[in-house]
Amino acid sequence: MRIQHPSEIELLLRDYQKAQEETKTEIARARDKLRERAEQEKRRIQEQILSQLQKEEMKLKTLVSTSTLCTDSTLSLSSGPTSGYNSSNTATYAASILGKQEEQASLEDVEHPRGRSAIRNHQVYILEQLQKDSSNASPTKGYEDLSKYVLANATAEVMAVCSNDLRNLYSGQATAGWKYQCMEKDVLVYYKAFSSSTTKHGFLGAGVIDRPLPTVLCMLKDPSKRHLYDKTITTAQVHKKITSSIELVYVVSDISLCYQKQPRDFCCICVEAKEENVSILAIQSVYEESMPRPCKEMVRGEILPSAWILEPDTMNGRDITKVVYMVQVSVW
């Protein structure tokens, strides 16, 4: 009986299938490691933010103990800026709220009746007290404190998505609940669904603009030019310029493309910052008494921590800009 030996092609196919299986196993291991590192980074960022908040709270305790905020004063705090969509806290609540803040050790996204998380409520309270504490403080002190929180929140969110390496976003890799969707006009598009709320949505894009960073930054900083690259925007105007890097901005968006009947409007604080050669524009909803009030023609939405992150680069001898844009929004 003649014994048939495997042909060379069959042997190559077997080797290929074996290599393919080994590759799949290595990819699965790499994904597990990446997921584990992302969770570790997320916990590190959460612990860092919590530590900072605890430091601010210790300062606040000292300030409150020597101020009139723990008396029966009925002085309203609603005229100060806060990082929430709305705030009705008054000075008479100071002592009781302070006690409640001590119990808020978790950074999980606990739902507030108005859509704010527990950690943002904590920030709102701290900033309100700091702004009202000292009569010697400059009028912009409250906004400057708030801008630090907005910038830290937005930056932490982006770093959690990319596992602390922005290059991951240019290769379709994302964590923290974000999912790669598609490539559209040379931009990698990601989406995040919030399990805690069906009205919250996260959108992220990563791409390259064939222009120097200063040119791109100048365009993005000008709200009146927003409609040129975002067709849903019908109105975008500076309500108040606080400092050269902090502005209050009012935005109206026609989101009929998202099957919403009424336009949404947003009252936001925009913060510009630079870290080494990276430029950051952070934005988040703010309640400030002088800004437009909600009206029946529109629904007041909330912009959660969002940001533009710009990095300079070169391609074929030309200056270009690598851009990551993250927007998180609750449209109610």
Side-chain angles (χ1 to χ4, degrees), residues 267-306:
C267 296
C268 315
I269 182 170
C270 298
V271 184
E272 178 187 356
K274 190 169 184 179
E275 296 182 6
E276 297 181 352
N277 64 335
V278 177
S279 292
I280 303 171
L281 291 175
I283 183 171
Q284 187 171 335
S285 280
V286 65
Y287 177 78
E288 210 278 345
E289 198 170 60
S290 69
M291 297 194 77
R293 298 301 178 92
C295 61
K296 63 181 180 180
E297 290 79 13
M298 290 180 284
V299 176
R300 178 60 51 88
E302 180 183 6
I303 294 181
L304 308 174
S306 304

Side-chain angles (χ1 to χ4, degrees), residues 56-65 98 125-126 129:
E56 295 293 342
E57 188 172 21
M58 291 303 296
K59 294 179 183 178
L60 175 61
K61 287 180 179 179
T62 303
L63 295 174
V64 170
S65 65
L98 181 59
Y125 178 74
I126 289 175
Q129 306 307 323

Side-chain angles (χ1 to χ4, degrees), residues 53-169:
L53 289 174
Q54 288 173 338
K55 290 179 182 178
E56 295 293 342
E57 188 172 21
M58 291 303 296
K59 294 179 183 178
L60 175 61
K61 287 180 179 179
T62 303
L63 295 174
V64 170
S65 65
T66 57
S67 72
T68 60
L69 292 176
C70 288
T71 68
D72 292 331
S73 170
T74 58
L75 177 63
S76 172
L77 298 180
S78 61
S79 59
T82 69
S83 62
Y85 160 72
N86 197 352
S87 174
S88 58
N89 293 340
T90 57
T92 54
Y93 294 163
S96 60
I97 295 180
L98 181 59
K100 293 179 182 178
Q101 299 307 318
E102 294 174 350
E103 300 172 1
Q104 292 183 350
S106 171
L107 286 174
E108 293 297 320
D109 193 22
V110 180
E111 281 296 299
H112 182 275
R114 298 303 299 257
R116 289 203 310 251
S117 65
I119 195 64
R120 287 204 301 282
N121 288 332
H122 193 166
Q123 297 166 2
V124 169
Y125 178 74
I126 289 175
L127 293 176
E128 286 177 338
Q129 306 307 323
L130 289 175
Q131 186 198 31
K132 289 292 181 177
D133 173 72
S134 176
S135 58
N136 296 324
S138 67
T140 61
K141 181 64 167 61
Y143 292 106
E144 290 172 345
D145 290 336
L146 178 57
S147 69
K148 293 176 184 177
Y149 282 109
V150 171
L151 184 63
N153 284 346
T155 304
E157 291 277 354
V158 176
M159 290 299 104
V161 178
C162 66
S163 298
N164 218 30
D165 188 346
L166 291 173
R167 290 175 297 184
N168 289 332
L169 297 176

Side-chain angles (χ1 to χ4, degrees), residues 129 151-152 199 201 220 301:
Q129 306 307 323
L151 184 63
T199 65
H201 305 275
L220 296 177

Side-chain angles (χ1 to χ4, degrees), residues 5-59:
H5 295 283
S7 67
E8 185 177 351
I9 293 178
E10 289 176 328
L11 291 174
L12 288 173
L13 285 174
R14 290 178 185 176
D15 290 341
Y16 172 76
Q17 290 172 347
K18 181 179 179 181
Q20 189 178 41
E21 292 300 322
E22 291 176 350
T23 301
K24 288 181 179 179
T25 301
E26 290 299 320
I27 290 175
R29 289 175 182 171
R31 283 176 177 169
D32 291 340
K33 290 181 179 179
L34 183 62
R35 189 178 296 110
E36 182 180 353
R37 286 200 299 269
E39 289 299 322
Q40 291 175 350
E41 180 64 16
K42 181 179 178 181
R43 287 193 295 270
R44 185 190 69 79
I45 293 172
Q46 289 177 339
E47 290 170 357
Q48 185 178 9
I49 294 175
L50 180 58
S51 176
Q52 181 63 29
L53 289 174
Q54 288 173 338
K55 290 179 182 178
E56 295 293 342
E57 188 172 21
M58 291 303 296
K59 294 179 183 178

